[in-house]
Amino acid sequence: MSFGSKILKYREEMLRDLARLVAIPSVRSEAREGMPFGENSARALQTILAMADEMGLKTKNVANYAGHAEYGEGRETAAVLAHVDVVPAGEGWKTDPYVMTVRDGLCYGRGTADDKGAAIAALYGLKVLQEEKVQTKRRIRAIFGAGEETASEDMARYFEVEPLPEMGFTPDAEYGICNREKGILRMDLTGRLGESGVIVSLRGGTVCNAVPAFADAELRCSAGQFQALRQAAEQAEGDFTFTQADFGGHVHSVGIASHAATPQEGVNAVVRLLRLLGQVFTERELGALASFVNRAIGLELDGESLGVKVCDQESGTITVNLGVCHISENENRVCLDMRYPVTADGGQLARTIQEHAGRFGVAATVEGHSKPLYLPEHSPLISILKESYRVVTGEEAGIYAMGGGTYARSLQSRGVAFGLLFPDEPDRRIHNTGEHIEIEKFMLHAQVCLEAMYRMAVE
């Protein structure tokens, strides 16, 4: 029997505490004094640290950016990094996203799979280590962040105050072991409106790191032009609804949400709507920004027309996602989220886009840049994680690369992403049908997590 199986006796308590966390709508909001990501993100962090206090663990809150619970002795530390903030709930839920609902062996609720479930598993891993009185070579920490979904500056702040662990992992991906994370480059594009004011407003998307599932345009045009749009939609890629008005009309575009790391799994409602408009209206009528998106991005996901298509053997091809679009008299902006290969130069990619956009009269500004992660397979940490997975599941943990960005980057080549989802599970983190976890798989992950925590602490 593995050491990790000792966590199974806490199944009901773990589900209870997960429900407590899910009940907090910890989406980033306007900063307040002492609450850099808003009141609810701070409350979620304070709640899980209070749980740790109740267990008798050592805790520290770093200005509501992040905090940790700790067990053990030793000069070095090892860590599990999870986050307690979430993306917006989105539409299409059949249950209240902030009331954890258990049905047919599944727990529904925003954060159950990303990443509050993992945070609870790490917390209870510390509880088991403490109750078993494990003699440690390293102190073991569960580090909880409150701002991961919006650029992860929470960990940057945390590690200004606290030392980097000797090794660590974040259960915010899939099994096996992700030792290569693509670089993440986010850019805002801005440009002028069309001369004739055809687009009164066009809005779609809520966050840059997701494929927008909906988009809406209010158009000022003739009845003939609006009818031409209807006809063009019959042959276009997309799902559109039209509402005619005296001034022109509204067009609603429906797509499929997915994470920006895997845009091929989604359908981008914004770019399909812009392409439809481009079939009826001229570039002068649409304006520089909309025209640039149609020409240089369109339905492509690999950046070819944008001039940034790059690929390597280690991590694959760049992906480009248009996540947010706000076009109106007061704001004309789209946000691009790009995941580029581990051997590519993100700075050069940004310069290429700026030069290309400039030729269209569009300004391109870097809003965020996270460099790639690459940890060699022969590292001691990867050996520990492989053995932990094998002991608990009886299977081998493979090594893989991904486009997603996790806290592993903040560990500066001392950590990787490892779990929470298993290879045969669909990604349930951002689907509008309702984020959820399978309870049995959640408890299996908790065993793997505890086994890895134990081995990091004593080996």
Side-chain angles (χ1 to χ4, degrees):
M1 186 170 66
S2 69
F3 186 88
S5 64
K6 295 179 183 294
I7 205 169
L8 293 175
K9 62 183 176 181
Y10 292 110
R11 173 186 174 121
E12 296 307 316
E13 291 93 332
M14 292 170 68
L15 293 176
R16 176 202 66 200
D17 286 343
L18 177 56
R20 288 175 61 189
L21 273 188
V22 168
I24 302 171
S26 49
V27 177
R28 182 171 184 165
S29 60
E30 184 177 352
R32 298 175 57 183
E33 184 176 357
M35 300 177 181
F37 308 119
E39 182 177 358
N40 284 324
S41 290
R43 186 155 64 95
L45 176 61
Q46 292 163 5
T47 297
I48 198 165
L49 292 178
M51 293 176 187
D53 284 331
E54 293 166 5
M55 295 175 181
L57 296 164
K58 299 176 185 177
T59 63
K60 182 174 182 178
N61 186 336
V62 179
N64 283 320
Y65 281 87
H68 68 251
E70 179 182 283
Y71 168 77
E73 303 294 335
R75 183 174 55 85
E76 297 177 349
T77 61
V80 182
L81 287 70
H83 63 90
V84 294
D85 63 312
V86 295
V87 296
E91 301 180 27
W93 285 75
K94 297 178 182 178
T95 61
D96 186 332
Y98 301 116
V99 175
M100 195 174 85
T101 303
V102 180
R103 188 176 64 224
D104 299 327
L106 304 175
C107 290
Y108 290 86
R110 181 53 96 206
T112 51
D114 185 18
D115 196 33
K116 292 179 177 179
I120 290 296
L123 175 63
Y124 273 82
L126 291 178
K127 180 179 177 67
V128 172
L129 292 172
Q130 177 178 252
E131 290 199 345
E132 295 294 321
K133 298 181 173 58
V134 172
Q135 298 298 308
T136 65
K137 174 182 175 181
R138 300 182 183 92
R139 289 171 289 142
I140 184 78
R141 285 183 175 179
I143 302 174
F144 308 112
E148 191 271 352
E149 296 290 1
T150 53
S152 297
E153 64 263 48
D154 50 352
M155 282 301 118
R157 175 61 175 158
Y158 175 84
F159 286 123
E160 287 177 2
V161 176
E162 293 295 313
L164 280 171
E166 184 69 16
M167 61 178 66
F169 67 91
T170 180
D172 192 16
E174 301 172 0
Y175 289 113
I177 301 165
C178 179
N179 67 330
R180 289 153 287 158
E181 292 186 9
K182 289 181 176 179
I184 302 177
L185 178 62
R186 289 179 181 159
M187 300 187 73
D188 273 358
L189 308 180
T190 56
R192 65 183 183 279
L193 281 173
E195 294 178 0
S196 61
V198 166
I199 300 178
V200 178
S201 69
L202 195 158
R203 300 181 69 86
T206 55
V207 290
C208 197
N209 65 340
V211 175
F214 304 99
D216 290 278
E218 181 178 339
L219 306 174
R220 183 180 294 112
C221 61
S222 69
Q225 288 173 316
F226 199 73
Q227 180 60 29
L229 278 176
R230 290 180 184 270
Q231 293 173 348
E234 295 177 1
Q235 304 298 323
E237 294 185 50
D239 181 1
F240 307 103
T241 302
F242 298 86
T243 305
Q244 195 159 359
D246 292 340
F247 59 84
H250 297 83
V251 184
H252 180 62
S253 174
V254 177
I256 299 174
S258 71
H259 199 282
T262 53
Q264 69 278 6
E265 295 179 4
V267 174
N268 196 308
V270 170
V271 296
R272 280 162 174 74
L273 178 53
L274 286 171
R275 281 174 62 85
L276 176 65
L277 299 182
Q279 294 185 44
V280 174
F281 302 104
T282 67
E283 291 188 351
R284 177 172 292 185
E285 289 173 319
L286 292 180
L289 182 58
S291 299
F292 179 70
V293 169
N294 278 340
R295 280 208 189 192
I297 301 171
L299 300 180
E300 294 177 358
L301 302 178
D302 62 6
E304 183 171 5
S305 297
L306 198 56
V308 294
K309 184 176 181 178
V310 287
C311 182
D312 66 19
Q313 185 175 358
E314 290 81 3
S315 55
T317 304
I318 190 173
T319 59
V320 178
N321 175 63
L322 189 158
V324 176
C325 177
H326 292 165
I327 297 178
S328 69
E329 184 178 349
N330 298 320
E331 181 182 19
N332 303 295
R333 177 180 70 93
V334 300
C335 176
L336 299 184
D337 182 303
M338 290 157 283
R339 311 296 169 111
Y340 66 85
V342 296
T343 60
D345 182 340
Q348 182 57 52
L349 295 175
R351 290 188 290 273
T352 298
I353 292 171
Q354 288 169 334
E355 293 170 3
H356 193 169
R359 292 192 287 271
F360 282 76
V362 171
T365 306
V366 175
E367 293 298 319
H369 185 198
S370 181
K371 293 183 179 180
L373 163 73
Y374 180 43
L375 186 67
E377 187 173 351
H378 57 72
S379 75
L381 171 63
I382 291 181
S383 297
I384 285 174
L385 299 183
K386 281 187 172 183
E387 183 63 11
S388 299
Y389 191 81
R390 187 195 64 77
V391 166
V392 172
T393 70
E395 305 289 338
E396 297 299 322
I399 304 294
Y400 71 97
M402 73 173 178
T406 72
Y407 279 155
R409 296 170 193 261
S410 68
L411 297 177
Q412 300 179 24
S413 297
R414 300 183 183 195
V416 296
F418 182 59
L420 163 116
L421 299 178
F422 287 87
D424 59 342
E425 288 186 281
D427 189 341
R428 297 162 171 154
R429 290 171 288 184
I430 201 167
H431 294 174
N432 282 353
T433 52
E435 180 183 352
H436 59 282
I437 56 169
E438 182 181 338
I439 295 175
E440 295 307 319
K441 290 290 180 63
F442 172 55
M443 294 308 301
L444 184 62
H445 160 74
Q447 293 178 72
V448 176
C449 183
L450 173 56
E451 186 72 29
M453 294 171 75
Y454 171 73
R455 291 171 181 270
M456 288 195 303
V458 302
E459 292 186 4

